[in-house]
Amino acid sequence: MRQAQAAEASFIRALTRTARAVTLRIEPLLKEEGLSLDGWLVLDALAAGDGLTMTELAGRTLVTGPTLTRVVDRLVTTAAAYREVDVEDRRRVRVYLAPRGRSAHQRATVRLAEVERELDPDGGVLAKLSDVEVE
């Protein structure tokens, strides 16, 4: 049991260190587009959808509520995204990707794909990580 706990802790430590190392590697690329990592995650989620509520964005990005609000506010301020009242339920507001945001997302995605190919040339690590589910 003790060895299993040690192995799990080592795995968690290694995964956390790897996530931080990758973040440090890609943040300068995102900064060139005026984006933070959370900003890119939001743009990426918006690029895949047709207007998302804040709850939907939080679920797709795993960005927490207060941070998500700040990120979306910044994207709206920079004209990368915009908000509109939901036509079916006027109590809800949806966030949409603006043309400026789509361009920034496309440019950043190309650069991030290059980093992905360097870090995981055969896609094996991505395949394994894609199987991990978040509760």
Side-chain angles (χ1 to χ4, degrees):
M1 172 104 171
R2 191 170 220 145
Q3 287 177 335
Q5 288 174 336
E8 182 180 64
S10 294
F11 172 77
I12 291 169
R13 244 188 334 273
L15 192 56
T16 301
R17 286 178 54 82
T18 301
R20 289 185 179 168
V22 170
T23 299
L24 288 172
R25 175 117 182 247
I26 64 173
E27 279 181 333
L29 303 176
L30 295 172
K31 189 174 183 179
E32 291 176 16
E33 294 299 331
L35 297 170
S36 64
L37 177 56
D38 289 334
W40 181 81
L41 290 171
V42 169
L43 290 185
D44 196 52
L46 292 173
D50 186 29
L52 299 171
T53 65
M54 293 296 279
T55 301
E56 292 167 335
L57 274 173
R60 292 185 188 193
T61 63
L62 301 179
V63 176
T64 60
T67 300
L68 184 59
T69 298
R70 282 192 301 275
V71 168
V72 170
D73 285 348
R74 181 161 174 14
L75 293 172
V76 169
T77 299
T78 61
Y82 63 95
R83 293 181 179 101
E84 282 189 358
V85 173
D86 189 307
V87 294
E88 294 178 15
D89 183 349
R90 303 206 40 88
R91 295 171 295 178
R92 282 194 285 181
V93 174
R94 292 194 170 274
V95 182
Y96 295 87
L97 188 61
R100 179 178 284 183
R102 186 167 308 282
S103 295
H105 174 262
Q106 289 170 343
R107 288 188 303 270
T109 299
V110 168
R111 309 259 328 260
L112 296 179
E114 293 169 4
V115 174
E116 282 184 22
R117 282 190 296 276
E118 290 173 23
L119 297 173
D120 188 23
D122 66 355
V125 175
L126 177 60
K128 288 180 182 179
L129 291 175
S130 295
D131 289 338
V132 176
E133 291 189 29
V134 178
E135 295 179 16

